[in-house]
PDB file of all heavy atoms in Angstrom:
ATOM      1  N   GLY A   1       0.793  -1.221   0.000  1.00  0.00           N
ATOM      2  CA  GLY A   1       0.000   0.000   0.000  1.00  0.00           C
ATOM      3  C   GLY A   1       0.821   1.265   0.000  1.00  0.00           C
ATOM      4  O   GLY A   1       0.445   2.264   0.618  1.00  0.00           O
ATOM      5  N   GLY A   2       1.942   1.263  -0.714  1.00  0.00           N
ATOM      6  CA  GLY A   2       2.783   2.444  -0.758  1.00  0.00           C
ATOM      7  C   GLY A   2       2.259   3.512  -1.681  1.00  0.00           C
ATOM      8  O   GLY A   2       2.990   4.408  -2.087  1.00  0.00           O
ATOM      9  N   ASN A   3       0.967   3.426  -2.030  1.00  0.00           N
ATOM     10  CA  ASN A   3       0.414   4.347  -3.022  1.00  0.00           C
ATOM     11  C   ASN A   3      -0.589   5.316  -2.413  1.00  0.00           C
ATOM     12  O   ASN A   3      -1.154   6.143  -3.097  1.00  0.00           O
ATOM     13  CB  ASN A   3      -0.296   3.539  -4.111  1.00  0.00           C
ATOM     14  CG  ASN A   3       0.553   2.376  -4.582  1.00  0.00           C
ATOM     15  OD1 ASN A   3       1.591   2.598  -5.173  1.00  0.00           O
ATOM     16  ND2 ASN A   3       0.147   1.161  -4.274  1.00  0.00           N
ATOM     17  N   LYS A   4      -0.833   5.182  -1.111  1.00  0.00           N
ATOM     18  CA  LYS A   4      -1.923   5.943  -0.522  1.00  0.00           C
ATOM     19  C   LYS A   4      -1.598   7.425  -0.374  1.00  0.00           C
ATOM     20  O   LYS A   4      -2.463   8.284  -0.553  1.00  0.00           O
ATOM     21  CB  LYS A   4      -2.280   5.343   0.839  1.00  0.00           C
ATOM     22  CG  LYS A   4      -2.824   3.922   0.746  1.00  0.00           C
ATOM     23  CD  LYS A   4      -3.098   3.360   2.128  1.00  0.00           C
ATOM     24  CE  LYS A   4      -3.631   1.935   2.035  1.00  0.00           C
ATOM     25  NZ  LYS A   4      -3.868   1.346   3.374  1.00  0.00           N
ATOM     26  N   ASP A   5      -0.363   7.724  -0.010  1.00  0.00           N
ATOM     27  CA  ASP A   5      -0.029   9.103   0.342  1.00  0.00           C
ATOM     28  C   ASP A   5       0.896   9.772  -0.656  1.00  0.00           C
ATOM     29  O   ASP A   5       1.478  10.817  -0.353  1.00  0.00           O
ATOM     30  CB  ASP A   5       0.616   9.124   1.735  1.00  0.00           C
ATOM     31  CG  ASP A   5      -0.279   8.481   2.774  1.00  0.00           C
ATOM     32  OD1 ASP A   5      -1.501   8.715   2.707  1.00  0.00           O
ATOM     33  OD2 ASP A   5       0.246   7.750   3.629  1.00  0.00           O
ATOM     34  N   HIS A   6       1.048   9.186  -1.810  1.00  0.00           N
ATOM     35  CA  HIS A   6       2.010   9.727  -2.764  1.00  0.00           C
ATOM     36  C   HIS A   6       1.383   9.848  -4.141  1.00  0.00           C
ATOM     37  O   HIS A   6       0.645   8.983  -4.585  1.00  0.00           O
ATOM     38  CB  HIS A   6       3.250   8.825  -2.860  1.00  0.00           C
ATOM     39  CG  HIS A   6       3.995   8.690  -1.578  1.00  0.00           C
ATOM     40  ND1 HIS A   6       4.931   9.595  -1.161  1.00  0.00           N
ATOM     41  CD2 HIS A   6       3.913   7.751  -0.603  1.00  0.00           C
ATOM     42  CE1 HIS A   6       5.419   9.220   0.015  1.00  0.00           C
ATOM     43  NE2 HIS A   6       4.822   8.101   0.379  1.00  0.00           N
ATOM     44  N   THR A   7       1.678  10.926  -4.813  1.00  0.00           N
ATOM     45  CA  THR A   7       1.306  11.124  -6.205  1.00  0.00           C
ATOM     46  C   THR A   7       2.528  11.662  -6.941  1.00  0.00           C
ATOM     47  O   THR A   7       2.955  12.784  -6.686  1.00  0.00           O
ATOM     48  CB  THR A   7       0.143  12.118  -6.341  1.00  0.00           C
ATOM     49  OG1 THR A   7      -0.958  11.656  -5.555  1.00  0.00           O
ATOM     50  CG2 THR A   7      -0.292  12.243  -7.784  1.00  0.00           C
ATOM     51  N   PRO A   8       3.139  10.883  -7.857  1.00  0.00           N
ATOM     52  CA  PRO A   8       2.756   9.519  -8.225  1.00  0.00           C
ATOM     53  C   PRO A   8       3.099   8.526  -7.120  1.00  0.00           C
ATOM     54  O   PRO A   8       3.849   8.862  -6.208  1.00  0.00           O
ATOM     55  CB  PRO A   8       3.591   9.259  -9.484  1.00  0.00           C
ATOM     56  CG  PRO A   8       4.822  10.085  -9.283  1.00  0.00           C
ATOM     57  CD  PRO A   8       4.330  11.340  -8.614  1.00  0.00           C
ATOM     58  N   PRO A   9       2.559   7.293  -7.202  1.00  0.00           N
ATOM     59  CA  PRO A   9       2.826   6.300  -6.164  1.00  0.00           C
ATOM     60  C   PRO A   9       4.313   5.997  -6.009  1.00  0.00           C
ATOM     61  O   PRO A   9       5.081   6.071  -6.973  1.00  0.00           O
ATOM     62  CB  PRO A   9       2.065   5.067  -6.662  1.00  0.00           C
ATOM     63  CG  PRO A   9       1.006   5.612  -7.549  1.00  0.00           C
ATOM     64  CD  PRO A   9       1.616   6.801  -8.212  1.00  0.00           C
ATOM     65  N   VAL A  10       4.710   5.700  -4.793  1.00  0.00           N
ATOM     66  CA  VAL A  10       6.074   5.274  -4.513  1.00  0.00           C
ATOM     67  C   VAL A  10       5.988   3.816  -4.053  1.00  0.00           C
ATOM     68  O   VAL A  10       5.559   3.543  -2.940  1.00  0.00           O
ATOM     69  CB  VAL A  10       6.732   6.144  -3.420  1.00  0.00           C
ATOM     70  CG1 VAL A  10       8.137   5.614  -3.109  1.00  0.00           C
ATOM     71  CG2 VAL A  10       6.789   7.587  -3.858  1.00  0.00           C
ATOM     72  N   SER A  11       6.334   2.916  -4.926  1.00  0.00           N
ATOM     73  CA  SER A  11       6.218   1.497  -4.592  1.00  0.00           C
ATOM     74  C   SER A  11       7.101   0.693  -5.530  1.00  0.00           C
ATOM     75  O   SER A  11       7.678   1.221  -6.482  1.00  0.00           O
ATOM     76  CB  SER A  11       4.762   1.028  -4.709  1.00  0.00           C
ATOM     77  OG  SER A  11       4.296   1.163  -6.040  1.00  0.00           O
ATOM     78  N   THR A  12       7.196  -0.600  -5.253  1.00  0.00           N
ATOM     79  CA  THR A  12       7.955  -1.516  -6.091  1.00  0.00           C
ATOM     80  C   THR A  12       7.336  -2.898  -5.968  1.00  0.00           C
ATOM     81  O   THR A  12       6.691  -3.220  -4.961  1.00  0.00           O
ATOM     82  CB  THR A  12       9.437  -1.567  -5.673  1.00  0.00           C
ATOM     83  OG1 THR A  12      10.126  -2.542  -6.475  1.00  0.00           O
ATOM     84  CG2 THR A  12       9.581  -1.959  -4.209  1.00  0.00           C
ATOM     85  N   ASP A  13       7.526  -3.713  -6.979  1.00  0.00           N
ATOM     86  CA  ASP A  13       7.064  -5.099  -6.892  1.00  0.00           C
ATOM     87  C   ASP A  13       8.162  -6.016  -6.386  1.00  0.00           C
ATOM     88  O   ASP A  13       8.035  -7.236  -6.408  1.00  0.00           O
ATOM     89  CB  ASP A  13       6.525  -5.572  -8.246  1.00  0.00           C
ATOM     90  CG  ASP A  13       7.581  -5.578  -9.349  1.00  0.00           C
ATOM     91  OD1 ASP A  13       8.788  -5.570  -9.049  1.00  0.00           O
ATOM     92  OD2 ASP A  13       7.192  -5.596 -10.533  1.00  0.00           O
ATOM     93  N   GLY A  14       9.267  -5.421  -5.955  1.00  0.00           N
ATOM     94  CA  GLY A  14      10.403  -6.191  -5.473  1.00  0.00           C
ATOM     95  C   GLY A  14      11.512  -6.301  -6.492  1.00  0.00           C
ATOM     96  O   GLY A  14      12.664  -6.586  -6.145  1.00  0.00           O
ATOM     97  N   VAL A  15      11.203  -6.054  -7.749  1.00  0.00           N
ATOM     98  CA  VAL A  15      12.195  -6.077  -8.821  1.00  0.00           C
ATOM     99  C   VAL A  15      12.133  -4.781  -9.630  1.00  0.00           C
ATOM    100  O   VAL A  15      13.155  -4.146  -9.893  1.00  0.00           O
ATOM    101  CB  VAL A  15      11.980  -7.289  -9.765  1.00  0.00           C
ATOM    102  CG1 VAL A  15      12.953  -7.245 -10.945  1.00  0.00           C
ATOM    103  CG2 VAL A  15      12.135  -8.595  -8.992  1.00  0.00           C
ATOM    104  N   VAL A  16      10.916  -4.388 -10.009  1.00  0.00           N
ATOM    105  CA  VAL A  16      10.718  -3.202 -10.845  1.00  0.00           C
ATOM    106  C   VAL A  16       9.924  -2.164 -10.056  1.00  0.00           C
ATOM    107  O   VAL A  16       8.852  -2.470  -9.535  1.00  0.00           O
ATOM    108  CB  VAL A  16       9.972  -3.568 -12.148  1.00  0.00           C
ATOM    109  CG1 VAL A  16       9.704  -2.318 -12.989  1.00  0.00           C
ATOM    110  CG2 VAL A  16      10.779  -4.587 -12.953  1.00  0.00           C
ATOM    111  N   PRO A  17      10.429  -0.939  -9.951  1.00  0.00           N
ATOM    112  CA  PRO A  17       9.693   0.106  -9.232  1.00  0.00           C
ATOM    113  C   PRO A  17       8.530   0.651 -10.055  1.00  0.00           C
ATOM    114  O   PRO A  17       8.490   0.508 -11.284  1.00  0.00           O
ATOM    115  CB  PRO A  17      10.753   1.184  -8.990  1.00  0.00           C
ATOM    116  CG  PRO A  17      11.733   1.003 -10.101  1.00  0.00           C
ATOM    117  CD  PRO A  17      11.753  -0.470 -10.405  1.00  0.00           C
ATOM    118  N   TYR A  18       7.604   1.288  -9.356  1.00  0.00           N
ATOM    119  CA  TYR A  18       6.430   1.849 -10.014  1.00  0.00           C
ATOM    120  C   TYR A  18       6.819   2.784 -11.148  1.00  0.00           C
ATOM    121  O   TYR A  18       6.240   2.726 -12.242  1.00  0.00           O
ATOM    122  CB  TYR A  18       5.558   2.601  -9.001  1.00  0.00           C
ATOM    123  CG  TYR A  18       4.453   3.404  -9.663  1.00  0.00           C
ATOM    124  CD1 TYR A  18       3.238   2.814  -9.964  1.00  0.00           C
ATOM    125  CD2 TYR A  18       4.645   4.744 -10.024  1.00  0.00           C
ATOM    126  CE1 TYR A  18       2.231   3.527 -10.597  1.00  0.00           C
ATOM    127  CE2 TYR A  18       3.649   5.468 -10.663  1.00  0.00           C
ATOM    128  CZ  TYR A  18       2.444   4.852 -10.942  1.00  0.00           C
ATOM    129  OH  TYR A  18       1.463   5.571 -11.584  1.00  0.00           O
ATOM    130  N   TRP A  19       7.799   3.659 -10.903  1.00  0.00           N
ATOM    131  CA  TRP A  19       8.127   4.669 -11.911  1.00  0.00           C
ATOM    132  C   TRP A  19       8.573   4.034 -13.227  1.00  0.00           C
ATOM    133  O   TRP A  19       8.416   4.632 -14.294  1.00  0.00           O
ATOM    134  CB  TRP A  19       9.218   5.629 -11.407  1.00  0.00           C
ATOM    135  CG  TRP A  19      10.536   4.977 -11.064  1.00  0.00           C
ATOM    136  CD1 TRP A  19      10.981   4.633  -9.825  1.00  0.00           C
ATOM    137  CD2 TRP A  19      11.574   4.602 -11.991  1.00  0.00           C
ATOM    138  NE1 TRP A  19      12.230   4.048  -9.901  1.00  0.00           N
ATOM    139  CE2 TRP A  19      12.612   4.029 -11.224  1.00  0.00           C
ATOM    140  CE3 TRP A  19      11.730   4.687 -13.372  1.00  0.00           C
ATOM    141  CZ2 TRP A  19      13.795   3.549 -11.792  1.00  0.00           C
ATOM    142  CZ3 TRP A  19      12.907   4.201 -13.946  1.00  0.00           C
ATOM    143  CH2 TRP A  19      13.917   3.651 -13.167  1.00  0.00           C
ATOM    144  N   SER A  20       9.123   2.816 -13.159  1.00  0.00           N
ATOM    145  CA  SER A  20       9.570   2.142 -14.374  1.00  0.00           C
ATOM    146  C   SER A  20       8.405   1.507 -15.127  1.00  0.00           C
ATOM    147  O   SER A  20       8.365   1.528 -16.357  1.00  0.00           O
ATOM    148  CB  SER A  20      10.611   1.073 -14.027  1.00  0.00           C
ATOM    149  OG  SER A  20      11.018   0.373 -15.184  1.00  0.00           O
ATOM    150  N   SER A  21       7.440   0.953 -14.389  1.00  0.00           N
ATOM    151  CA  SER A  21       6.298   0.302 -15.032  1.00  0.00           C
ATOM    152  C   SER A  21       5.250   1.293 -15.522  1.00  0.00           C
ATOM    153  O   SER A  21       4.495   0.997 -16.454  1.00  0.00           O
ATOM    154  CB  SER A  21       5.629  -0.680 -14.058  1.00  0.00           C
ATOM    155  OG  SER A  21       6.461  -1.789 -13.807  1.00  0.00           O
ATOM    156  N   HIS A  22       5.186   2.436 -14.895  1.00  0.00           N
ATOM    157  CA  HIS A  22       4.194   3.444 -15.289  1.00  0.00           C
ATOM    158  C   HIS A  22       4.500   3.953 -16.692  1.00  0.00           C
ATOM    159  O   HIS A  22       5.645   4.237 -17.036  1.00  0.00           O
ATOM    160  CB  HIS A  22       4.216   4.608 -14.302  1.00  0.00           C
ATOM    161  CG  HIS A  22       3.333   5.742 -14.713  1.00  0.00           C
ATOM    162  ND1 HIS A  22       1.958   5.699 -14.597  1.00  0.00           N
ATOM    163  CD2 HIS A  22       3.633   6.957 -15.267  1.00  0.00           C
ATOM    164  CE1 HIS A  22       1.446   6.841 -15.043  1.00  0.00           C
ATOM    165  NE2 HIS A  22       2.442   7.614 -15.448  1.00  0.00           N
ATOM    166  N   ILE A  23       3.466   4.084 -17.517  1.00  0.00           N
ATOM    167  CA  ILE A  23       3.633   4.625 -18.861  1.00  0.00           C
ATOM    168  C   ILE A  23       2.517   5.618 -19.130  1.00  0.00           C
ATOM    169  O   ILE A  23       1.323   5.318 -18.926  1.00  0.00           O
ATOM    170  CB  ILE A  23       3.651   3.484 -19.927  1.00  0.00           C
ATOM    171  CG1 ILE A  23       3.780   4.072 -21.341  1.00  0.00           C
ATOM    172  CG2 ILE A  23       2.449   2.561 -19.807  1.00  0.00           C
ATOM    173  CD1 ILE A  23       4.015   3.014 -22.423  1.00  0.00           C
ATOM    174  N   GLU A  24       2.903   6.790 -19.519  1.00  0.00           N
ATOM    175  CA  GLU A  24       1.924   7.839 -19.798  1.00  0.00           C
ATOM    176  C   GLU A  24       1.030   7.434 -20.968  1.00  0.00           C
ATOM    177  O   GLU A  24       1.474   6.792 -21.920  1.00  0.00           O
ATOM    178  CB  GLU A  24       2.632   9.160 -20.135  1.00  0.00           C
ATOM    179  CG  GLU A  24       3.348   9.798 -18.955  1.00  0.00           C
ATOM    180  CD  GLU A  24       2.389  10.251 -17.872  1.00  0.00           C
ATOM    181  OE1 GLU A  24       1.230  10.604 -18.194  1.00  0.00           O
ATOM    182  OE2 GLU A  24       2.790  10.250 -16.687  1.00  0.00           O
ATOM    183  N   GLY A  25      -0.236   7.813 -20.871  1.00  0.00           N
ATOM    184  CA  GLY A  25      -1.164   7.544 -21.956  1.00  0.00           C
ATOM    185  C   GLY A  25      -1.877   6.223 -21.857  1.00  0.00           C
ATOM    186  O   GLY A  25      -2.678   5.880 -22.736  1.00  0.00           O
ATOM    187  N   ALA A  26      -1.607   5.452 -20.780  1.00  0.00           N
ATOM    188  CA  ALA A  26      -2.274   4.156 -20.633  1.00  0.00           C
ATOM    189  C   ALA A  26      -3.776   4.356 -20.478  1.00  0.00           C
ATOM    190  O   ALA A  26      -4.233   5.240 -19.756  1.00  0.00           O
ATOM    191  CB  ALA A  26      -1.721   3.405 -19.435  1.00  0.00           C
ATOM    192  N   GLN A  27      -4.542   3.519 -21.153  1.00  0.00           N
ATOM    193  CA  GLN A  27      -5.999   3.602 -21.039  1.00  0.00           C
ATOM    194  C   GLN A  27      -6.458   3.228 -19.641  1.00  0.00           C
ATOM    195  O   GLN A  27      -7.485   3.716 -19.161  1.00  0.00           O
ATOM    196  CB  GLN A  27      -6.655   2.692 -22.083  1.00  0.00           C
ATOM    197  CG  GLN A  27      -8.154   2.898 -22.210  1.00  0.00           C
ATOM    198  CD  GLN A  27      -8.742   2.094 -23.352  1.00  0.00           C
ATOM    199  OE1 GLN A  27      -9.224   0.984 -23.158  1.00  0.00           O
ATOM    200  NE2 GLN A  27      -8.707   2.647 -24.554  1.00  0.00           N
ATOM    201  N   SER A  28      -5.704   2.375 -18.976  1.00  0.00           N
ATOM    202  CA  SER A  28      -5.990   2.034 -17.589  1.00  0.00           C
ATOM    203  C   SER A  28      -4.687   1.643 -16.913  1.00  0.00           C
ATOM    204  O   SER A  28      -3.754   1.147 -17.554  1.00  0.00           O
ATOM    205  CB  SER A  28      -7.009   0.901 -17.483  1.00  0.00           C
ATOM    206  OG  SER A  28      -6.490  -0.306 -18.014  1.00  0.00           O
ATOM    207  N   GLU A  29      -4.645   1.865 -15.613  1.00  0.00           N
ATOM    208  CA  GLU A  29      -3.518   1.429 -14.797  1.00  0.00           C
ATOM    209  C   GLU A  29      -4.083   0.906 -13.482  1.00  0.00           C
ATOM    210  O   GLU A  29      -4.895   1.571 -12.844  1.00  0.00           O
ATOM    211  CB  GLU A  29      -2.545   2.570 -14.526  1.00  0.00           C
ATOM    212  CG  GLU A  29      -1.365   2.159 -13.651  1.00  0.00           C
ATOM    213  CD  GLU A  29      -0.427   3.317 -13.351  1.00  0.00           C
ATOM    214  OE1 GLU A  29       0.389   3.663 -14.233  1.00  0.00           O
ATOM    215  OE2 GLU A  29      -0.517   3.892 -12.233  1.00  0.00           O
ATOM    216  N   ILE A  30      -3.673  -0.282 -13.083  1.00  0.00           N
ATOM    217  CA  ILE A  30      -4.152  -0.885 -11.851  1.00  0.00           C
ATOM    218  C   ILE A  30      -2.955  -1.376 -11.055  1.00  0.00           C
ATOM    219  O   ILE A  30      -1.990  -1.904 -11.618  1.00  0.00           O
ATOM    220  CB  ILE A  30      -5.139  -2.042 -12.141  1.00  0.00           C
ATOM    221  CG1 ILE A  30      -5.692  -2.618 -10.844  1.00  0.00           C
ATOM    222  CG2 ILE A  30      -4.506  -3.126 -12.968  1.00  0.00           C
ATOM    223  CD1 ILE A  30      -6.779  -3.662 -11.046  1.00  0.00           C
ATOM    224  N   ILE A  31      -3.002  -1.156  -9.756  1.00  0.00           N
ATOM    225  CA  ILE A  31      -1.960  -1.650  -8.861  1.00  0.00           C
ATOM    226  C   ILE A  31      -2.536  -2.805  -8.064  1.00  0.00           C
ATOM    227  O   ILE A  31      -3.592  -2.681  -7.436  1.00  0.00           O
ATOM    228  CB  ILE A  31      -1.454  -0.533  -7.936  1.00  0.00           C
ATOM    229  CG1 ILE A  31      -0.797   0.565  -8.781  1.00  0.00           C
ATOM    230  CG2 ILE A  31      -0.470  -1.084  -6.913  1.00  0.00           C
ATOM    231  CD1 ILE A  31      -0.336   1.764  -8.004  1.00  0.00           C
TER     232      ILE A  31
END
């Protein structure tokens, strides 16, 4: 739940951080 207090979210899946997986223009994004 590292996404509650941050915009953009600050989190990682343990290998790839959020900032790397995020892509502008996505029709949807789900964590």
Side-chain angles (χ1 to χ4, degrees):
N3 313 294
K4 296 177 181 178
D5 304 320
H6 299 276
T7 304
V10 177
S11 62
T12 177
D13 63 19
V15 176
V16 177
Y18 170 86
W19 61 261
S20 178
S21 291
H22 174 75
I23 178 171
E24 291 294 330
Q27 190 174 94
S28 65
E29 179 182 281
I30 183 174
I31 296 176

